[in-house]
Amino acid sequence: MEPTGGGPARTELPSPAAHHGRHPGGLAATHADETVRRIERAALDLFIAEPMEGVSVARIAAAAGVSVRSFYRRFPGKEDVLLVTPTSLATEVQQAIDRRPAGEPPFAAMREAVDERSRAGDEDLRRWQAAVAACRAGNRMIQQVVAVTSPLLSAAFARRCGQAPTDPWPDIAGVIAATALVTGARRFAVHGGELREHVLQAIDVVGRGLDAPPFAAGPTPSAHPA
């Protein structure tokens, strides 16, 4: 039954990484972990099959075999389900960065961490990409993904540099790193090929710095119309 009193309570979205049960070497998934996983997969399958606007929370809950109340205990709304996979993957990358040798530069450590993680493949990520594409939530979702994943990467960079996550360098670097990850995923969705290669290419670009694009040879005629 839907909660009464003006709609469902807008609780904070629990950390998807804490509930997703996909961390290598982690503890066995709890009941809450399995519930989040079932809700996410049910929602993604429905979003792939038809527009998100036509999919109600009640249908997602029924497909996942949970109550509507159980859904709202874990997610503020149906769009928030789309943040589970990227946040979980960013947490895994954060943990892999922490395992890298102490003297390794931050973006080099991130590249190796992403390379390590991406070699395993991920069917959940492909399902997530298909759902985002089908419900035309791409640009909006990119902003949300960067918002929820950049603090995880900033924290990993801060530990590596001996700074606070809110200091300028790790704070900015985390946002740039999160943007590189979603840019690689978006390029894979558009161009195909290997997801891993697109993501690593994006990390290489930001790791080298953005003073100027490598192909720059002066402004093009179209850049400065007469």
Side-chain angles (χ1 to χ4, degrees):
M1 179 180 294
E2 293 271 353
T4 58
R10 303 294 289 182
T11 56
E12 290 295 321
L13 176 66
S15 167
H19 294 304
H20 212 267
R22 285 164 42 190
H23 305 312
L27 298 175
T30 63
H31 174 70
D33 297 332
E34 181 58 30
T35 299
V36 168
R37 187 180 300 111
R38 282 159 47 199
I39 290 172
E40 181 197 23
R41 289 177 178 169
L44 294 184
D45 287 342
L46 287 168
F47 295 161
I48 291 169
E50 59 187 280
M52 180 191 291
E53 292 79 6
V55 178
S56 66
V57 167
R59 286 183 61 197
I60 296 171
V66 302
S67 67
V68 170
R69 188 178 298 276
S70 181
F71 177 97
Y72 280 119
R73 279 202 296 267
R74 292 163 176 84
F75 299 100
K78 60 186 178 183
E79 281 200 5
D80 297 283
V81 178
L82 292 173
L83 298 176
V84 173
T85 286
T87 307
S88 181
L89 294 176
T91 300
E92 293 176 12
V93 170
Q94 178 197 51
Q95 294 169 344
I97 291 173
D98 287 341
R99 293 194 297 268
R100 299 298 304 169
E104 198 168 39
F107 274 96
M110 178 185 171
R111 189 190 197 283
E112 294 301 320
V114 170
D115 193 20
E116 170 192 326
R117 173 61 186 81
S118 62
R119 287 181 183 279
D122 199 320
E123 185 58 35
D124 286 343
L125 179 57
R126 295 177 186 276
R127 182 186 289 110
W128 177 82
Q129 289 178 313
V132 171
C135 64
R136 300 185 297 277
N139 291 334
R140 182 172 67 255
M141 187 50 51
I142 284 174
Q143 295 174 6
Q144 294 183 48
V145 168
V146 170
V148 299
T149 60
S150 58
L152 299 170
L153 300 173
S154 292
F157 288 153
R159 286 191 291 272
R160 183 156 292 270
C161 300
Q163 300 181 25
T166 53
D167 284 347
W169 194 90
D171 193 13
I172 294 170
V175 174
I176 292 173
T179 303
L181 293 179
V182 296
T183 297
R186 181 172 60 182
R187 288 183 60 79
F188 165 73
V190 172
H191 300 290
E194 291 293 328
L195 173 61
R196 171 176 165 272
E197 294 302 321
H198 285 295
V199 172
L200 292 180
Q201 184 181 53
I203 295 171
D204 287 341
V205 169
V206 298
R208 287 192 300 264
L210 295 174
D211 290 338
F215 53 82
T220 62
S222 61
H224 298 282

